[in-house]
Amino acid sequence: MNGVELFLLGRALMKIGEQALPDTGAHGGNRAVLVVLSDVLAHSGTTISEVAARTGLPQSAVSGAVARLRETGSVVAETDPHDRRRSLLEAARDISGRVAEVRATTIDDAVATALGGGDDGIDEVIAALDLLSRRLHIRPDSPADQLSKPKPV
C-alpha cells in the first residue's frame, strides 16, 4: 500500500463511519460535527475561532456544529471569565441520549453495504478495524471515548 492508497482507504472508512451513525435529521451531515467534536475533546476550554483555525473549517461551520453539539448535550459552553464576549467549549460531563445512541450503534450494516451486501467477510473486516483502532491508540482510551467514561465529580 502506498500513501495515495492509504489516503483513499481513509476516505472510504470515513464514508462508512458516516453511514454507520444514526440519522440526526439535520441538514449538512455529520462530518463537520465530528471534526469539531474531536477537536473540542482534544482541546478542552477552546473557543470557536480556535477550533476553526485548527480544523480549517469556516467559523460559520464550526458555530453550526457547536450549536448541534450543544443541542445534543455533547458539548457545553461557558463564558470566558477573562473575556465575557467569548465562550469556552468542553465536552459535557454527562452522557447525553444522543451520545448513548451513537455509541450503541454498530458498524455492521455500514460495513456490509460497503462490501456489497451479504455477510461474507464482515466479521473479518470488523476485527481488522478493531485491531487497527487499538494499534493506533484510537481505542479504548482515546479522547473520543472519554465521553463514555464518567468523569469524577
Side-chain angles (χ1 to χ4, degrees):
M1 177 174 284
N2 63 38
V4 172
E5 291 167 332
L6 180 60
F7 177 82
L8 294 173
L9 174 61
R11 287 187 46 84
L13 291 173
M14 283 178 50
K15 290 177 183 179
I16 294 168
E18 288 175 337
Q19 291 170 354
L21 293 173
D23 187 19
T24 63
H27 301 292
N30 294 310
R31 186 170 294 160
V33 173
L34 292 172
V35 169
V36 169
L37 178 60
S38 66
D39 188 82
V40 170
L41 291 171
H43 302 95
S44 186
T46 193
T47 65
I48 287 175
S49 59
E50 292 168 343
V51 173
R54 280 191 298 270
T55 62
L57 292 170
Q59 191 160 332
S60 60
V62 173
S63 293
V66 166
R68 283 179 58 191
L69 290 165
R70 289 180 71 188
E71 286 173 12
T72 63
S74 301
V75 168
V76 294
E78 301 203 6
T79 302
D80 183 343
H82 303 293
D83 182 351
R84 301 197 59 76
R85 298 169 295 172
R86 298 183 339 155
S87 293
L88 302 177
L89 307 171
E90 63 181 49
R93 292 188 183 272
D94 298 321
I95 298 173
S96 70
R98 174 65 180 163
V99 171
E101 177 187 13
V102 169
R103 298 220 178 273
T105 304
T106 67
I107 63 170
D108 298 36
D109 291 341
V111 170
T113 299
L115 295 176
D119 291 335
D120 191 36
I122 294 173
D123 291 339
E124 181 181 23
V125 170
I126 291 173
L129 292 171
D130 282 338
L131 174 63
L132 181 60
S133 180
R134 286 192 309 276
R135 293 282 173 95
L136 295 177
H137 305 289
I138 296 169
R139 301 181 340 161
D141 294 312
S142 70
D145 277 346
Q146 297 307 311
L147 283 179
S148 65
K149 296 179 182 174
K151 292 188 178 183
V153 180

